[in-house]
Amino acid sequence: MPPTADRPPAHLTDGDDDMSARLPATAWAVLGILSFGEELTGYEVRQWADHILRFFYWSPAMSQIYSELKRLEQVGYAASRTVTGDDTRTKRVYSITGAGRNALSHWVEDAPVEQPVLKHGAALRVCLGHLTTPERLREIVSQHRDNAQRLHDEAECSRQRAAEMPGWVYPELVARWAARYYAAECDLAERMLTDLDELP
């Protein structure tokens, strides 16, 4: 009997908890995109990621998205089918299964809250400021500030779009969080510029 929307393949049933524990966070992110109830192509998953997730978590390559979709199908958390579009071309669409929704709910509720990994290139270069000039450091920090302002504006735009979509209450909250984060990063960069000015 083939797997159903509520039951993963038989060979995964006994070890389902172990399989869930081995899934990377990016797989849960892809499954989370599918959890909003629409059948999506890999390209549409990428669009979703670019719309919200890239501001706080992930900006994936298409190859990575398809790798995660394949992984999710293998463990029975996603299913796919081929459909024919209006232009008569076929495409593969993916959806979450009942087992996938249950596993995702458990992950959201029970996964440990991990410390974010911050790789701050501008801060690292300021830390090594003895190897350059104060003027160059100001240019680096100013460029970081401008990038943060741009991302703030883009996150705010995504927040406004999410606010208009039914069922996107929580993505809107996270987009609001992202906009505040980048606003704070702009403020931190301005303070760093002040600190640089005050160096002897």
Side-chain angles (χ1 to χ4, degrees), residues 100-135:
R101 185 173 292 277
N102 289 339
L104 183 63
S105 293
H106 286 304
W107 181 80
V108 170
E109 293 178 0
D110 301 329
V113 178
E114 299 177 347
Q115 184 70 21
V117 177
L118 179 61
K119 296 180 179 180
H120 203 304
L124 178 59
R125 292 167 77 176
V126 172
C127 186
L128 302 176
H130 61 286
L131 300 174
T132 186
T133 65
E135 291 76 17

Side-chain angles (χ1 to χ4, degrees), residues 78-90:
S80 68
R81 65 189 182 98
T82 301
V83 299
T84 303
D86 295 336
D87 56 2
T88 72
R89 289 188 295 182
T90 60

Side-chain angles (χ1 to χ4, degrees), residues 21-184:
R22 291 198 298 268
L23 285 179
T26 50
W28 294 116
V30 170
L31 194 62
I33 291 172
L34 296 178
S35 73
F36 285 87
E38 298 180 35
E39 288 185 310
L40 300 172
T41 65
Y43 176 72
E44 289 168 336
V45 171
R46 169 67 186 271
Q47 288 182 309
W48 274 66
D50 283 347
H51 181 54
I52 294 290
L53 296 187
R54 72 182 176 100
F55 293 114
F56 63 92
Y57 185 75
W58 184 45
S59 182
M62 284 303 305
S63 59
Q64 190 176 14
I65 286 175
Y66 283 117
S67 293
E68 298 302 346
L69 288 169
K70 182 178 180 180
R71 190 199 311 265
L72 291 167
E73 278 199 283
Q74 288 174 340
V75 300
Y77 292 169
S80 68
R81 65 189 182 98
T82 301
V83 299
T84 303
D86 295 336
D87 56 2
T88 72
R89 289 188 295 182
T90 60
K91 60 182 180 180
R92 182 165 295 278
V93 294
Y94 297 83
S95 59
I96 191 171
T97 64
R101 185 173 292 277
N102 289 339
L104 183 63
S105 293
H106 286 304
W107 181 80
V108 170
E109 293 178 0
D110 301 329
V113 178
E114 299 177 347
Q115 184 70 21
V117 177
L118 179 61
K119 296 180 179 180
H120 203 304
L124 178 59
R125 292 167 77 176
V126 172
C127 186
L128 302 176
H130 61 286
L131 300 174
T132 186
T133 65
E135 291 76 17
R136 180 56 185 145
L137 286 180
R138 286 190 58 83
E139 291 174 357
I140 291 168
V141 174
S142 295
Q143 183 176 349
H144 170 69
R145 176 202 58 202
D146 295 344
N147 289 340
Q149 182 62 56
R150 174 180 55 79
L151 287 168
H152 166 270
D153 296 343
E154 292 176 6
E156 178 59 23
C157 181
S158 288
R159 186 201 66 76
Q160 293 174 9
R161 289 177 59 192
E164 298 170 357
M165 299 291 291
W168 277 34
V169 173
Y170 296 108
E172 191 273 334
L173 289 180
V174 175
R176 191 185 306 177
W177 183 344
R180 289 169 176 165
Y181 169 83
Y182 287 113

